């Protein structure tokens, strides 16, 4: 019996003038492909980088592809996920059946990836009870996105850290440096900054500058295996018939 063709996974990244951004996105996509051999995965960018999302979708339609899962490479449901990406997908060739997957966060796997990065930066599980962590995200003017970051910080605190405080590189307060000082004042023996961002760029660099007084600064999530697994979870959920096609 012939197996149904799996939808193509189109990863939609924001894009950046910083070349490290696209390089990290491509490294993550390569890891996704390694975890799911045979799954076709393409990458499109909303801005600054090529190929564009529309260009990728147009090429797929020209090849005769019918089914696509469009996955926002975003950690929260803010403006890009709610407005920009749906608008781009509505302009896609009409022959394509497109399902928009959910954003990556929140997910227990992302917490595991954050801890991976902290341990790679020098911490050990034995340090948790004496270490305060700044969960540093890019920031957003969307109240829903800000609330999600605060919820993640509270949840992460319950896994054994001395304390966890959210911080934001833009649009919201507190800034990373303020959260670092708060944890110092709280009496944590050491302070670590965990960037809750996917790729390097302008705002992650601002987080790094704000971490100058911290003891530990972790790397961005990047192509961590846990992040790749989240992408595949979101893809699998979106390809089920229960998720309505974009524009339906």
């Amino acid at each position: 019996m012939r197996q149904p063709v799996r939808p193509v996974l189109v990863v939609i990244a924001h894009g950046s003038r910083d070349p490290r951004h696209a390089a990290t996105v491509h490294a993550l996509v390569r890891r996704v492909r390694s975890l799911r051999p045979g799954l076709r995965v393409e990458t499109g960018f909303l801005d600054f980088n090529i190929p564009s999302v529309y260009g990728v979708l147009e090429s797929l339609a020209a090849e005769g592809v019918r089914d696509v899962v469009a996955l926002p490479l975003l950690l929260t449901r803010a403006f890009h996920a709610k407005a920009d990406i749906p608008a781009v997908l509505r302009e896609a060739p009409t022959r394509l059946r497109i399902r928009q997957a959910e954003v990556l966060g929140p997910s227990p796997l992302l917490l595991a990836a954050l801890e991976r990065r902290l341990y790679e930066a020098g911490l050990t599980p034995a340090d948790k009870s004496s270490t305060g962590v700044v969960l540093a995200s890019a920031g957003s003017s969307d109240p829903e996105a800000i609330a999600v970051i605060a919820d993640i910080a509270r949840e992460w605190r319950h896994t054994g850290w001395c304390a966890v405080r959210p911080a934001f590189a833009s649009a919201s307060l507190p800034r990373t440096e303020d959260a670092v000082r708060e944890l110092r004042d709280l009496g944590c023996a050491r302070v670590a900054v965990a960037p809750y961002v996917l790729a390097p760029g302008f705002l992650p660099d601002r987080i790094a500058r704000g971490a100058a007084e911290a003891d530990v600064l972790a790397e961005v999530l990047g192509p961590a295996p846990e992040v790749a697994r989240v992408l595949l979870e979101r893809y699998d959920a979106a390809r089920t018939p229960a998720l309505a096609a974009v524009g339906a």
Side-chain angles (χ1 to χ4, degrees):
M1 183 176 177
R2 186 177 180 181
Q3 295 295 317
V5 177
R6 287 184 290 186
V8 174
L9 170 57
V10 176
V11 175
I12 301 178
H14 182 275
S16 171
R17 293 186 178 91
D18 189 321
R20 296 173 298 168
H21 174 90
T24 302
V25 169
H26 290 310
L28 175 58
V29 168
R30 286 194 296 271
R31 189 177 287 275
V32 171
R33 292 188 183 117
S34 73
L35 292 176
R36 188 72 63 86
L39 172 63
R40 182 172 179 181
V41 187
E42 302 290 344
T43 308
F45 295 90
L46 291 174
D47 207 353
F48 302 116
N49 302 104
I50 55 174
S52 68
V53 177
Y54 182 81
V56 170
L57 296 175
E58 193 173 46
S59 294
L60 291 173
E63 289 179 31
V65 170
R66 293 297 306 277
D67 292 300
V68 170
V69 169
L71 195 156
L73 198 61
L74 301 168
L75 294 172
T76 58
R77 270 184 51 79
F79 183 79
H80 293 304
K82 294 177 179 178
D84 283 352
I85 291 175
V88 171
L89 297 181
R90 283 193 294 270
E91 296 299 318
T94 55
R95 66 169 287 121
L96 292 176
R97 291 190 295 256
I98 303 176
R99 296 182 177 91
Q100 181 177 331
E102 290 295 330
V103 297
L104 303 185
S107 167
L109 284 170
L110 295 178
L111 285 181
L114 287 167
E115 295 209 0
R116 170 191 289 275
R117 293 303 188 220
L118 286 171
Y119 297 150
E120 289 170 350
L123 294 179
T124 70
D127 296 323
K128 290 184 75 168
S129 63
S130 58
T131 301
V133 179
V134 177
L135 179 67
S137 75
S140 173
S141 58
D142 188 307
E144 178 186 349
I146 297 303
V148 166
I149 300 300
D151 288 343
I152 292 171
R154 282 191 292 270
E155 179 183 346
W156 203 14
R157 163 68 181 85
H158 294 315
T159 66
W161 297 100
C162 173
V164 180
R165 295 289 186 271
F168 307 95
S170 67
S172 305
L173 296 174
R175 295 286 183 257
T176 301
E177 53 268 35
D178 298 325
V180 169
R181 295 185 190 112
E182 180 185 350
L183 290 172
R184 291 272 188 230
D185 294 341
L186 194 63
C188 297
R190 67 184 63 79
V191 176
V193 174
Y196 189 59
V197 293
L198 288 165
F202 176 75
L203 293 179
D205 284 349
R206 181 180 289 177
I207 289 172
R209 291 193 297 273
E213 296 180 12
D215 302 293
V216 174
L217 171 63
E219 293 292 329
V220 299
L221 293 171
E226 296 88 352
V227 179
R229 287 168 56 196
V230 176
L231 264 72
L232 289 172
E233 284 187 356
R234 298 294 184 255
Y235 169 80
D236 289 337
R239 60 186 291 216
T240 61
L243 188 62
V246 171

